[in-house]
Every structure is written in structure tokens, then in C-alpha cells.
Amino acid sequence: MTTDKNNQLEILCGKCPQLEMLRASSDLQFYGQDASKHLTPNPTAILLPNRTEEVQQIVQWANEHDIKLVPSGGRTGLSGGAVAAQAEVVISLEKMNHIIGFNTTDRTVTCQAGVVTAKLQEYACAQQLYYPVDFASSGSSQIGGNIATNAGGIRVLRYGLTRDWVSGLTVITGSGERLDLNQGLIKNATGYDLRHLMIGSEGTLGIITEAKMQLTEPPVPQGVTLCALDNFADCLTILRTFRHRLRLSAFEFFSDKALNHVLQHNDLEAPFQQRSPYYLLAEYDYGSPGTQEALEQVFEECFNQGWISDGIVAQSETQSQKLWQLRERVSESISNKTPYKNDISVCPSQAPIFLKELEQLVNQAYPDYEIIWFGHIGDGNVHLNILKPETLSHSEFLHQCHQVSQLVGATLHKHQGSVSAEHGVGLLKKEQLRYSRSEHEISLMKQLKLIFDPKQILNPGKIFDI
Amino acid sequence: MKILVPVKRVVDYNVRIQVKSDNSGVNLDGVKMSVNPFDEIAVEEALRIKERGEAEEVIAVTIGDSAAQEQLRTVLAMGCDRAILVEAPSDLEPLAVAKTLKALVEKEDAQLVIAGKQAIDDDSGQVAQMLAALLSCAQATFASKIELAGDSAKVTREVDAGLETIEVDLPAVVSADLRLNEPRYVKLPDIMKAKRKPIDTLSLAELGVDGTNQLTVSNWSAPSAREPGIKVEDVAGLVGKLKEKGLL
Ligand SMILES: Cc1cc2nc3c(=O)[nH]c(=O)nc-3n(C[C@H](O)[C@H](O)[C@H](O)COP(=O)(O)OP(=O)(O)OC[C@H]3O[C@@H](n4cnc5c(N)ncnc54)[C@H](O)[C@@H]3O)c2cc1C
């Protein structure tokens, strides 16, 4: 640490008397890392601003002294986007966690970027409304982080991505300008919508400080069914059959190996006495007349075709939640094995062929590794997790995974899929970006980056190197 | 031996209850309804007893309006052999419920009744005890374990001081507590098979029960909201606050 940087940080704190700064090594470790856990954190300092104005002062200061900043939300990201490994200064939004306003007519909530996702969900519920974006990490992730990654989750099938719920943004760009974007308008045909450029930009164009989020009416009661299947390329045929008669809000899958880890780490019962290689969890509107019959019909059809071998139906919300836990706990139950995560997607119509090819490729490439499959199969998104064998060193493991990722990338390219469906590119998926985006597209993205952040202050080296 | 299990249709445990704006009751429109969780545990226990070969038949009974057939179908799919729907207003009071069950126990000659310890909608927690009194038979309430041995049952009860084990002669009424077991999931093929299982419908009059309620509910209101917690700066602050509230 240069005394220069020390002095500069002191200057900043002098300018912003209420700005909290952390320098203890435990804090640096804690705030410098996200949930991907493959990279070693090494930030210089952690700043915890309270207001948009302070964020702006920090970014202006960073421009003046050429200091690199890493925006940090709940650090549940899985691509290393919030990792500070290059002596950057972390700017954590965690103190900006207030809900500022609610408009009953517009059904919008204005919140600071550091509001935890679950808090927005609860707030909506208290207004008898609903914020539908949800996933296993929503108890820790922040709205700002969700917007910066365009988070998806378990109900994309019905409700879309975070993008679909952002009706206004306040952003401090990399050059320190404040932008108030859209501000809640439903219709606004006045040129480029920079709000949408900010969504999914992973903290490389600007720091989101406030967001106006759209709410909707709560869903009717939901039913949950868990089905067992032998062949997971059948998932999409089953999806089509289910959709004929049921209004689905989620369609998720996980493998028996994934279930093993969940049962080992949690006090949950195995759903079936007899195990099957794969399971599907479907959530659907329940309660209108005929739903039960519709469910039975689709089950019978899938059963007779040999696509589904068994199925259970939750009889209460408690059972629904237990079935959901079997799916939602997969990620945390394998986290002690430092999994290498592939978060990939293709169009659902392409999924059966793609999955077959992928399965073959992966089984050949990783004959000795334990592979855990799960994901949001209803929208063509699978999480393919490779567990590190205990005997293998971390660096050798990563090296091998990177090599296989190139093969996965090439297969994705062939099927016009995405190398990162919802976790972002961050530091970990940079090399694979070229499989999903053309050279020209990447070059345009780089130019955009330089317009918003000419000195490359924000999240340098994330998504791509310039 | 026959086991009779009463099952009540209630608002699902996880639903946020809302009192109607005119305070005349709870809003049930579009709300998810389920088997009372303690009754589900009672059903599971009865089925396990039958699966161990210690009972021949498990009969589920619900007292309520015809919508409660949905809950009977659930427990039939879990494995009950047959079910009885006694048509009655869904707000029938505990004593009338107990009298109805008494008539059914006698009609069916059931040796064991396993009931939930309470229904989570009105939380009365009275039916099992009243039924045992009306039948002049043994009762074992708040059971966390049931072992049958010929004409008697050893029941572990959850009491304030811990666990108490008692032995009761059959016939008996046992009420199920939360830790008795973990109810099974219901399989889709079993749901379909359950459709062919019989549900008999009876009226209160056929069982000779007067269903007139003795109580009138005058008003419903939501519990007052909990006050938000406060944050203290440090241990000294915490101790100060506790003293201030007279807790230390
Ligand atoms: C168990 C588990 C399950 C998950 N399931 C899902 C899932 O189903 N779907 C899904 O999409 N994701 C999932 N994730 C990934 C993760 O939760 C999401 O990417 C989430 O949106 C990240 O939010 P965060 O606040 O934790 O962001 P962080 O991890 O802190 O940051 C993510 C990125 O956003 C940037 N950033 C953060 N805040 C701001 C801001 N205010 N302004 C500008 N940039 C910012 C960071 O620099 C970084 O690049 C899961 C993660 C875990 C651990």
C-alpha cells in the first residue's frame, strides 16, 4: 500500500465526513469476495456510502486520482463480478438499504440500491402486492446487484427477469455523472433507453444508487408437483405437455446426485422411496375448477409415454415449501466442494438436442468428476456444476475446467446459446464471451464502456479486457 | 381393528390470514385450504399402524361442507381405506363435533380414534378430550409416540415438564402432537387410485346430532402489529435497556 493511496483515501474521508471506511484485513477479505470463491480477494479499502451524493463524490474522487472501484452488492454473485483482486477500492452499497417511497397508483417502490431482495418482496407483500423475482440467494442479494446482473431465478417462465421490473434508475456513471433514467414511466419513446443498457452491465458502466421497481398483484394459490424421470432430454416434451393444460409459474429440474447432496446437508426427507436419475419440479396456478383433473391428465399422458416414472403433489403449502427446498438448497449443499459452475442456456426448443450433446461431451471430458445438474430448465437454462475431487489441487482443477469450458462453449455456439444465462460474465466467464457474442458486438460493447467510463474506473477487467 | 381419524379442512398454515374489513370473519376468497396439519399427522400415524399389521382399516371422517371432500381425497390418496363426509356448517362447535364423532365411533365400532391435538383455524383443542368423555373411554392427548400392544396402547405425551409415558386400554382417543411423525408425500398414481375409494355422505340428523351453535361470535380482529425492535450501541446499552424494562 502506497502512502499516496493512504493520503488520497484520507482526502476523500475529509470531503465526506459521514463516509465509513473499513481497512481491517478481515473486512478486506469479507468485502473483496463474492459467492464464486475461486479468486483471492485483495482490496485496498472498503467504502460504505450512505447517499447517492456520496457515491458521486467517491466516483469523482476516483477519477481524479485514477483509483479503481469495485461496486459491491450482496456479493452472492457467481462470476466474480464483485471480486476485488487487484488492489481496488470496494464501494459497498450495504448501508443504502432504505425503501424510500411507494406509489399505490403506479404500484412502484423506490428503493436504494442496497435494499436486500427479500426485503422488497416482504414490503410488496405488506402492500398486498408482489415482487416476483426470486431465487435461493434473495435473502442476501441486493436490488442493485440484481439489476447489475439482470438476475433471473425460479419464476422467469411466468414473470421474466429483473429487467422487466425496473421502471426507473438513478446511476452514477464511471465518469461521475448522475443519470436519472426513465423515472417510472410505462411508456417513453424518446430515443435510446439507457436504463436497459445499465441493466446487466455488471457495474462496468455506472453505479446504481436507486431504483424504482414495479410490483404486481399476488398470484393465485400455487400447486407444486415433483416428478421423477429417467431421461432429462424429455424435460422439454414434458414442459410442452404440462403447458397444454396448466398455467405454469416455474419449471425446474435437478439430478439425483444433486438431491444426494441436499439430503446429506439438510434435515429433509427423500421425496420418493425409489430414486430416479432426474427430477422435475413444476409450480402451477391451482384452485380454479378443473386444475386437479388437468394435472392428472398430463401426468397420465407423460407416464404412459414413459417420460415420467413417478410423481408427487404437495397437499399443503408446507409440503410445497419442502419440495422447493429440495431444489433451492442444491447450490448451497455443494458449495463446500468449490464447484466450477457453468450457467448456460439455449432456446428451450433447442434444449433436447443440446442437452444430449452436452451430456455426452461432459461425460467424456470429466470421466472421474462428480457432475451436478440442476436449473431453470423451463427457460432453457441449466446449471452444470463440476465438483472438485479432493485429491486435485485447486489450480489444476480450474485449469481442467477451463479447457472443458471451451468445448462447452463451442457446443453452445453451434446452438446459438449463452455461456452465461443469468450469472453474468464477471471475471470467470471472460474467455467464453466470444462463444456467445460476435467480435463486432464485443468491440461495440467496449466502445460503450469507454463512453460511460473513459478512465476505466469501474470494475476494470470485468466482462472483457480493453 | 378399525381406526377412525377426523380430518378438518382449514386455511393453509402458510397463508397470511386477513380479517374481513367489516370484522365479520376471516377472508377465505381464493385462499389455499389444506388438511389441518395435526390431522395429517394423525392420518400418517394410523396408516403406519395399519402398515405394521396392527389395524385392518383406517377410516377418515370430515365434518363440514362438501368442499371438504377435497381434503378427504388427500387422505384417501395417502392411504386411508374409506372416508365419511358428515355434512354440517363448517363452523360447527367442538361439542357438536365430538357428539358426531361419538355416533360414528359407535356406528363403525372403531377401537381407536387418532385426532389432531387442535385445528389451526379456531385453535379450540377440545374435540379429542370431549369425545373421550362422551365415550367414557381412555384418552391420551399430545402424543409424540404410539405403541400398540393387544388391548392397550403405550403413548408418550408431550407435557410441560418433558415427556410422560402412559398406558391406556382400548378403545381410546389419542390426540397427535407435532413430533409424532412426518407425514408422507402423496403420489399422483395414488391420487388417481383414491378416486375409486368410497366417500359416504351422512347428515347430522342421521347421526342424531343437533348442530345448533351455542356461541355467537361478535367480532373478529387482527392481532396488533408487533412493535419493531430497537438497536443498541453496545453491551452497556443493552444492559441499560434491560434494566429500564425491569428485566434485569
Ligand atoms: C445460492 C445461490 C443461488 C443463486 N441463484 C440465482 C438464480 O437463480 N438466478 C440468478 O440470476 N442468480 C442467482 N444467483 C447469483 C446471484 O445471487 C445474482 O447474480 C444476484 O443478482 C447478485 O446480487 P448481489 O447483490 O449479491 O450482487 P454482487 O454479487 O454483490 O454483485 C454482482 C455484480 O453486480 C455489480 N454490482 C452490485 N451492486 C451494484 C450496484 N449497486 N451498481 C452497479 N453494480 C453493482 C458487482 O460489481 C458485480 O459485478 C445465485 C447465487 C447463489 C449464491
Side-chain angles (χ1 to χ4, degrees):
Chain A
M1 249 289 301
T2 59
T3 41
D4 240 16
K5 232 179 192 171
N6 272 333
N7 289 341
Q8 287 152 357
L9 282 163
E10 263 165 44
I11 294 174
L12 175 70
C13 291
K15 272 192 205 159
C16 309
Q18 280 159 349
L19 179 64
E20 187 178 354
M21 175 165 70
L22 304 172
R23 303 288 293 270
S25 90
S26 59
D27 288 326
L28 300 181
Q29 292 296 313
F30 180 69
Y31 286 90
Q33 176 79 283
D34 69 2
S36 61
K37 303 267 161 30
H38 285 298
L39 305 153
T40 315
N42 177 37
T44 298
I46 318 298
L47 301 174
L48 301 155
N50 303 289
R51 283 180 299 282
T52 300
E53 293 70 27
E54 274 178 0
V55 174
Q56 186 167 25
Q57 279 175 309
I58 295 168
V59 178
Q60 286 169 349
W61 161 86
N63 271 280
E64 234 162 83
H65 302 283
D66 193 27
I67 287 169
K68 309 296 180 195
L69 296 174
V70 173
S72 166
R75 289 180 310 285
T76 65
L78 294 169
S79 293
V83 170
Q86 307 288 337
E88 302 96 329
V89 170
V90 170
I91 171 162
S92 162
L93 279 292
E94 112 187 347
K95 281 187 158 183
M96 294 180 57
N97 60 359
H98 300 288
I99 289 181
I100 305 168
F102 170 59
N103 187 312
T104 342
T105 311
D106 297 343
R107 291 174 158 186
T108 51
V109 183
T110 308
C111 37
Q112 288 185 308
V115 167
V116 169
T117 315
K119 183 168 158 185
L120 176 59
Q121 293 166 345
E122 281 157 25
Y123 183 86
C125 195
Q127 320 303 318
Q128 275 143 54
L129 288 169
Y130 184 57
Y131 180 66
V133 179
D134 193 19
F135 33 79
S137 54
S138 59
S140 310
S141 77
Q142 299 175 0
I143 289 304
N146 294 166
I147 296 171
T149 53
N150 188 21
I154 54 181
R155 297 205 172 79
V156 173
L157 197 64
R158 162 115 27 122
Y159 294 103
L161 301 149
T162 300
R163 180 183 302 285
D164 301 301
W165 301 93
V166 180
S167 67
L169 280 182
T170 299
V171 176
I172 304 298
T173 66
S175 55
E177 306 291 337
R178 175 180 173 139
L179 294 176
D180 291 294
L181 303 171
N182 198 59
Q183 297 311 331
L185 293 171
I186 298 170
K187 305 181 89 172
N188 181 6
T190 52
Y192 309 142
D193 194 336
L194 300 183
R195 161 187 54 155
H196 282 295
L197 190 56
M198 290 295 160
I199 299 170
S201 66
E202 299 186 53
T204 61
L205 301 180
I207 298 181
I208 298 151
T209 61
E210 281 175 27
K212 195 166 269 188
M213 305 303 291
Q214 186 67 51
L215 305 182
T216 186
E217 57 264 11
V220 300
Q222 299 291 297
V224 172
T225 175
L226 186 78
C227 296
L229 56 156
D230 294 328
N231 194 338
F232 91 125
D234 289 336
C235 281
L236 281 300
T237 331
I238 299 170
L239 173 66
R240 215 171 44 221
T241 315
F242 269 53
R243 272 185 154 172
H244 269 309
R245 297 190 199 277
L246 297 168
R247 204 168 121 75
L248 296 180
S249 54
F251 196 78
E252 302 274 316
F253 97 109
F254 52 97
S255 65
D256 194 50
K257 285 185 178 152
L259 178 65
N260 262 338
H261 286 274
V262 173
L263 296 179
Q264 260 170 38
H265 286 90
N266 297 279
D267 182 20
L268 290 165
E269 305 254 318
F272 299 98
Q273 271 131 6
Q274 212 179 343
R275 305 286 283 266
S276 297
Y278 302 101
Y279 306 97
L280 270 177
L281 184 152
E283 191 181 78
Y284 50 92
D285 280 2
Y286 165 87
S288 52
T291 317
Q292 181 62 29
E293 292 69 25
L295 179 69
E296 288 166 20
Q297 274 170 8
V298 294
F299 178 76
E300 207 160 10
E301 197 175 331
C302 294
F303 186 80
N304 291 341
Q305 294 286 343
W307 300 326
I308 288 177
S309 57
D310 208 344
I312 52 190
V313 189
Q315 298 297 311
S316 62
E317 197 57 29
T318 308
Q319 282 193 342
S320 296
Q321 286 176 6
K322 280 189 183 153
L323 293 179
W324 262 118
Q325 301 271 306
L326 298 175
R327 158 66 187 87
E328 289 230 89
R329 298 251 170 132
V330 174
S331 202
E332 65 177 58
S333 299
I334 57 173
S335 66
N336 63 336
K337 308 262 181 194
T338 32
Y340 181 85
K341 290 176 175 286
N342 293 276
D343 162 38
I344 53 189
S345 72
V346 292
C347 288
S349 60
Q350 293 298 302
I353 318 170
F354 169 73
L355 290 176
K356 221 172 243 171
E357 272 178 48
L358 183 68
E359 203 176 12
Q360 257 168 19
L361 181 159
V362 164
N363 289 343
Q364 264 167 23
Y366 298 110
D368 305 324
Y369 290 11
E370 185 176 353
I371 297 166
I372 304 290
W373 298 84
F374 63 99
H376 318 294
I377 191 68
D379 34 73
N381 179 190
V382 294
H383 298 320
L384 167 63
N385 284 250
I386 324 287
L387 304 193
K388 187 179 90 61
E390 259 164 46
T391 48
L392 203 66
S393 79
H394 191 240
S395 57
E396 178 58 20
F397 173 64
L398 272 191
H399 175 70
Q400 293 196 10
C401 289
H402 278 306
Q403 280 185 328
V404 180
S405 290
Q406 308 306 319
L407 301 176
V408 174
T411 314
L412 277 164
H413 182 71
K414 188 172 123 194
H415 294 280
Q416 296 177 313
S418 171
V419 295
S420 184
E422 55 176 17
H423 295 166
V425 177
L427 289 172
L428 295 173
K429 303 290 167 194
K430 276 197 306 193
E431 268 180 51
Q432 280 130 270
L433 184 60
R434 62 200 163 95
Y435 293 112
S436 293
R437 298 298 190 106
S438 71
E439 231 169 82
H440 185 55
E441 220 181 338
I442 295 173
S443 146
L444 285 172
M445 289 202 272
K446 289 180 181 174
Q447 290 172 50
L448 283 170
K449 160 80 179 167
L450 291 175
I451 292 172
F452 284 91
D453 185 15
K455 291 194 174 166
Q456 301 179 55
I457 296 298
L458 290 183
N459 248 354
K462 308 287 165 72
I463 307 182
F464 40 63
D465 293 305
I466 293 191
Chain B
M1 183 177 79
K2 290 182 189 176
I3 307 178
L4 190 81
V5 187
V7 170
K8 188 174 184 185
R9 171 182 167 93
V10 297
V11 174
D12 192 278
Y13 168 70
N14 292 281
V15 168
R16 264 177 213 229
I17 300 293
Q18 269 156 11
V19 175
K20 286 184 186 162
S21 52
D22 63 358
N23 291 5
S24 66
V26 164
N27 197 353
L28 295 180
D29 291 346
V31 164
K32 178 140 182 159
M33 306 293 284
S34 301
V35 175
N36 176 41
F38 293 108
D39 302 349
E40 204 184 1
I41 294 171
V43 169
E44 176 66 34
E45 195 62 21
L47 295 175
R48 288 187 192 185
I49 291 172
K50 187 188 161 191
E51 284 158 5
R52 286 200 298 267
E54 294 167 357
E56 281 82 51
E57 196 177 26
V58 177
I59 308 162
V61 51
T62 195
I63 304 165
D65 55 35
S66 60
Q69 286 193 39
E70 189 189 344
Q71 279 61 45
L72 288 179
R73 289 286 166 211
T74 294
V75 296
L76 286 172
M78 284 175 79
C80 292
D81 298 287
R82 59 191 171 91
I84 300 168
L85 166 70
V86 181
E87 283 183 325
S90 56
D91 63 348
L92 201 66
E93 286 171 4
L95 184 58
V97 172
K99 285 181 180 167
T100 311
L101 292 173
K102 173 180 186 271
L104 284 170
V105 169
E106 285 165 351
K107 183 167 181 277
E108 295 288 347
D109 190 23
Q111 293 297 295
L112 182 61
V113 175
I114 309 182
K117 71 165 181 179
Q118 74 200 72
I120 61 163
D121 51 359
D122 58 22
D123 273 340
S124 292
Q126 299 170 2
V127 166
Q129 294 87 333
M130 285 178 170
L131 175 61
L134 292 172
L135 287 168
S136 302
C137 74
Q139 58 173 294
T141 47
F142 315 124
S144 63
K145 194 174 177 190
I146 304 175
E147 293 162 284
L148 292 188
D151 286 343
S152 67
K154 200 156 101 183
V155 178
T156 306
R157 304 180 60 231
E158 301 213 0
V159 292
D160 281 350
L163 297 177
E164 178 189 73
T165 305
I166 60 170
E167 230 178 276
V168 292
D169 289 335
L170 300 184
V173 179
V174 179
S175 78
D177 214 323
L178 194 63
R179 273 173 283 270
L180 183 57
N181 60 49
E182 171 91 24
R184 66 196 62 191
Y185 288 113
V186 172
K187 292 189 162 209
L188 261 160
D190 294 335
I191 292 180
M192 298 196 223
K193 276 188 228 147
K195 282 189 176 164
R196 290 195 292 271
K197 292 186 182 175
I199 297 183
D200 290 334
T201 305
L202 294 171
S203 67
L204 286 177
E206 279 172 274
L207 295 169
V209 177
D210 175 8
T212 323
N213 282 345
Q214 315 283 314
L215 302 171
T216 31
V217 178
S218 52
N219 187 47
W220 291 74
S221 63
S224 50
R226 249 176 53 185
E227 281 187 31
I230 53 158
K231 268 194 181 159
V232 291
E233 280 300 317
D234 48 22
V235 177
L238 176 66
V239 172
K241 273 281 166 219
L242 288 174
K243 280 198 175 139
E244 192 185 300
K245 302 246 170 210
L247 296 168
L248 262 187

